């Protein structure tokens, strides 16, 4: 059989399955005319992007066989999930995992009915779909995920279907620059395929309306060799020939060390009754148009593709790659063949000896030595990401082990840049850092993202999407457990006396804790030793997002190594016990801890029980029969929601800009004087005088008095 014929037969099979998933409840092979009872009562899903993505999948499978090459496929327009389900079903992977969805007539009925149906499956390329590592529900992250996936995966090609609507999003627009960070020898390759079908939900796309020459210049300016083809006009066999040639050209460009991008121009809703219009975005036909639906489905000639029992004809099965080479069966997208833990050094080797060293320390600087050793021990499966902030966030020591990744021109004035660098710090994009880290983790490796606390909010929606992914994958036994996504929030709101108000935003934790504790944890280690043990715990975990808020400025050290380990294990520590306490004082965060300790010194005659909380999830368990003051790093609404039983809640109140560190705390009411007033109301007048005295002092000298 000619190659074009089998490509067409496979393509038609994938399109038939994809369209039938939208509409059919029964009569899967159209053995009789369609009746009202054969059609779903409510048609939900998308079609416009689907045939183009089936076309790409067909040709990538062909390339797997032709080049004996591992491919994964990331679908940016993942709302067309029926395409991926169809291909996984043809390849057999779907039935291997979901054994009741057999490759026969009864299996086809189940396959079609379950799609976008109550108690069935999502209409997106969801975690339930074998071969998926990116749902694509929220657009913009596909290309960054691909670049992260191929880091330290030199034999892998990640093909990415980028929707031309998706290409207008901010995260995707910046992701094209990911080609500047792939080492040609040590990393894999990314093949972006821009699916130029011309329309979004109800508008044309920009890239489709500019000229071909403008598109070419746009991508050439970002370092890509452009291969543009158009299909859907002059017959399907020439279309297949053009696409096969485009893949061949891309593979040759890879061999020459170049970065290809394929621009696939196809009609929106290709092969359906509604083409080349935004109206094909979702379902081209309504359920009452039964005759038109039947005519459309029969246009794929299913009788030529299936045997009478509903199984696929042999040539279609023979065309599919075999075993783990099937795109839907590639274990990279499952999270790896098995979970591989990091080799971690002993925390005690890096801990501060507070008995013999009483000087203030920079917690992040102490942590950096631990991170550097992890990078030594795990040279191929551990990286950290930061948007040009690694040095600012005091992650100095890893630079003694490796350098920043940089594949472009090097100049004598540059510092710490290298072609072989493993520190992903050279691009100022939170979206790119988060996206590449997610791609790295989703394929079974380990790492963390360190950024300014306030600007982590740039990627909070990405974190939400990752949390939703984890929530679903934890229920899928066939998926490999994933390393935790660890986010270090530093340069935090209480350490922005020079940057000011724009750099004060502690709300990411409040937003993320809408997820359950088995999906998201938030930690506030108050010193270097607790930070070390917190990081160890997070790097050993699975299937979770961990938010770690840490100080980078010199600060007092509180816990010896053994105490720190216990505090992290329990999630809290009774720093000062008082069996018959007048008041319980609870602090969460390095700055609240410091101010509470100072407040206790002001009220020596009061019996104060002082508790330091490290794990925010234990707040709900705390209950006392005496007045209780909770002093929190962030917004108090979070603590009130977790535990409404405390007497006073102190925290960040959106006050303060360019001022001193202590004045910031006074303005927000978490300072030692305000806390002392609550513990001992009789000191109110004295404490107010202290605040006034301090305000006058900073106005004259520009530094804190106390």
């Amino acid at each position: 059989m000619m190659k074009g014929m089998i490509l067409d037969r496979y393509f038609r099979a994938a399109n038939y399955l994809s369209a039938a998933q939208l509409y059919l409840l029964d009569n899967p092979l159209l053995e009789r005319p369609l009746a009202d009872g054969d059609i779903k009562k409510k048609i939900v899903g998308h079609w416009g992007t689907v045939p183009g993505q089936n076309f790409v999948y067909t040709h990538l499978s062909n390339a797997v066989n032709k080049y004996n090459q591992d491919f994964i496929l990331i679908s940016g327009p993942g709302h067309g999930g029926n395409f991926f389900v169809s291909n996984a079903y043809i390849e057999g992977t779907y039935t291997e995992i979901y054994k009741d969805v057999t490759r026969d007539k009864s299996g086809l009925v189940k396959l079609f009915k379950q799609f976008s149906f109550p108690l069935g499956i999502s209409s997106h390329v969801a975690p339930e779909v074998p071969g998926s590592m990116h749902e694509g529900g929220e657009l913009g992250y596909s290309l960054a995920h691909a670049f992260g996936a191929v880091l330290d995966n030199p034999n892998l090609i990640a093909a990415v279907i980028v929707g031309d609507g998706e290409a207008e999003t901010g995260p995707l627009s910046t992701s094209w620059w990911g080609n500047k960070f792939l080492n040609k020898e040590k990393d894999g390759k990314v093949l972006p395929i821009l699916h130029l079908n011309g329309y979004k939900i109800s508008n044309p796309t920009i890239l489709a309306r500019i000229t071909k020459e403008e598109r070419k210049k746009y991508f050439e300016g970002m370092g890509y060799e452009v291969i543009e083809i158009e299909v859907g006009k002059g017959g399907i066999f020439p279309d297949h020939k053009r696409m096969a040639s485009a893949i061949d050209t891309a593979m040759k460009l890879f061999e020459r060390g170049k970065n290809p991008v394929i621009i696939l121009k196809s009609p929106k809703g290709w092969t359906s009754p509604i083409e080349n219009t935004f109206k094909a975005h979702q379902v081209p036909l309504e359920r009452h148009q039964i005759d038109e639906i039947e005519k459309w489905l029969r246009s794929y000639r299913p009788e030529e593709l299936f045997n009478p029992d509903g199984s696929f004809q042999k040539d279609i099965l023979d065309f599919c790659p075999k075993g783990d080479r099937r795109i839907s069966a590639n274990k990279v997208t499952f999270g790896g063949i098995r979970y591989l833990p990091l080799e971690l050094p002993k925390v005690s080797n890096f801990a501060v000896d507070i008995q013999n060293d009483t000087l203030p320390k920079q917690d992040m600087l102490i942590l950096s030595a631990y991170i550097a050793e992890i990078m030594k021990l795990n040279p191929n499966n551990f990286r950290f990401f930061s948007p040009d902030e690694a040095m600012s966030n005091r992650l100095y020591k890893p630079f003694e082990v490796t350098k920043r990744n940089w594949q472009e021109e090097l100049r004598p004035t540059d510092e710490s840049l290298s072609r072989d660098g493993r520190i992903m710090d050279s691009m100022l994009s939170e979206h790119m850092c988060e996206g590449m880290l997610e791609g790295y983790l989703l394929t079974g490796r380990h790492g963390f993202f360190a950024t300014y606390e306030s600007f982590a909010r740039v990627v909070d929606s990405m974190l939400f999407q990752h949390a939703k992914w984890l929530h679903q994958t934890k229920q899928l036994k066939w998926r490999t457990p994933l390393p935790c996504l660890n986010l270090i929030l530093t340069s935090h709101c209480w350490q922005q006396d020079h940057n000011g108000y724009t750099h004060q935003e502690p709300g990411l934790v409040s937003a993320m804790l809408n997820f359950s504790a088995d999906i998201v944890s938030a930690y506030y280690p108050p010193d270097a030793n607790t930070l070390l043990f917190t990081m160890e715990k997070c790097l050993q975990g699975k299937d979770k997002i961990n938010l770690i808020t840490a100080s980078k400025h010199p600060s007092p050290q509180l816990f010896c190594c053994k105490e720190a380990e216990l505090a992290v294990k329990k999630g809290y520590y009774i720093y000062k016990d008082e069996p018959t306490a007048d008041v319980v004082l609870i602090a969460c965060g390095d700055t609240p801890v410091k101010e509470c300790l100072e407040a206790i010194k002001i009220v020596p005659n009061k019996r104060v029980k002082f508790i330091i909380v490290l794990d925010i999830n234990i707040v709900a368990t705390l209950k006392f029969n005496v007045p209780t003051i909770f002093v929190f790093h962030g917004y108090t609404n979070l603590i009130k929601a977790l535990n409404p039983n405390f007497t006073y809640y102190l925290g960040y109140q959106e006050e303060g800009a360019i001022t001193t560190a202590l004045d910031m705390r006074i303005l927000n009411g978490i300072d030692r004087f305000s806390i002392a007033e609550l513990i001992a109301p009789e000191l109110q007048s004295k404490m107010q005088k202290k605040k006034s005295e301090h305000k006058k002092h900073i106005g004259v000298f520009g530094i804190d008095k106390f």
Side-chain angles (χ1 to χ4, degrees), residues 122-300:
S122 168
S123 66
H124 290 189
V125 186
E128 293 88 350
V129 182
S132 171
M133 55 164 277
H134 170 94
E135 179 159 344
E138 182 172 290
L139 300 176
Y141 315 135
S142 57
L143 201 48
H145 282 169
F147 282 115
V150 301
L151 290 173
D152 301 317
N153 259 332
N155 299 318
L156 182 67
I157 296 179
V160 190
I161 301 174
V162 177
D164 51 353
E166 178 191 21
E168 297 174 10
T169 66
L172 198 289
S173 295
T174 200
S175 295
W176 296 109
W177 296 111
N179 61 10
K180 309 303 180 190
F181 303 99
L182 295 185
N183 183 293
K184 303 295 184 186
E185 296 178 359
K186 298 183 179 180
D187 301 321
K189 300 171 178 64
V190 171
L191 177 58
I193 302 171
L194 176 65
H195 188 200
L196 202 71
N197 66 22
Y199 295 93
K200 304 184 281 280
I201 295 174
S202 56
N203 279 287
T205 60
I206 295 169
L207 282 169
R209 292 296 174 94
I210 63 176
T211 67
K212 183 176 180 179
E213 186 62 24
E214 284 180 289
R215 279 195 298 273
K216 187 169 186 281
K217 289 179 178 178
Y218 175 70
F219 288 105
E220 284 179 344
M222 292 182 289
Y224 290 92
E225 299 282 336
V226 180
I227 310 161
E228 180 163 337
I229 66 169
E230 184 171 3
V231 298
K233 280 189 172 181
I236 193 62
F237 292 109
D239 289 343
H240 283 300
K241 187 174 182 180
R242 279 189 283 271
M243 188 62 181
S245 177
I247 298 279
D248 289 341
T249 302
M251 297 299 286
K252 290 173 184 175
L253 287 168
F254 280 139
E255 289 175 7
R256 292 164 46 200
K258 303 293 185 180
N259 298 304
V261 58
I262 295 174
I263 300 176
L264 173 63
K265 189 175 183 181
S266 71
K268 183 105 171 176
W270 188 21
T271 74
S272 80
I274 307 292
E275 285 190 3
N276 255 332
T277 169
F278 68 86
K279 295 179 181 179
H281 181 76
Q282 293 182 325
V283 290
L285 298 173
E286 300 300 326
R287 78 170 309 277
H288 67 272
Q289 298 174 283
I290 296 176
D291 291 343
E292 289 88 343
I293 293 170
E294 180 174 347
K295 183 179 179 182
W296 172 24
L297 292 175
R298 289 194 186 279
S299 72
Y300 300 116

Side-chain angles (χ1 to χ4, degrees), residues 12 19 33 60 95 107 117 182 204 222 243 282 310 312 325 336 339 342 380 513 534-535 553-554 594 600:
R12 280 193 283 133
L60 290 177
T95 301
F117 197 83
L182 295 185
M222 292 182 289
M243 188 62 181
Q282 293 182 325
F312 292 103
R325 277 281 162 87
Y339 175 83
L342 284 172
N380 299 311
L513 285 186
T534 298
M535 196 66 191
H553 287 185
K594 178 179 180 180
I600 290 170

Side-chain angles (χ1 to χ4, degrees), residues 389 392-393 450-456 490-491 496 499 503 552:
E389 295 168 357
S392 175
N393 290 328
T451 188
Y452 285 18
E453 177 187 52
S454 58
F455 303 131
T490 187
S491 300
Q496 295 300 336
N499 279 321
H503 285 55
K552 72 176 187 180

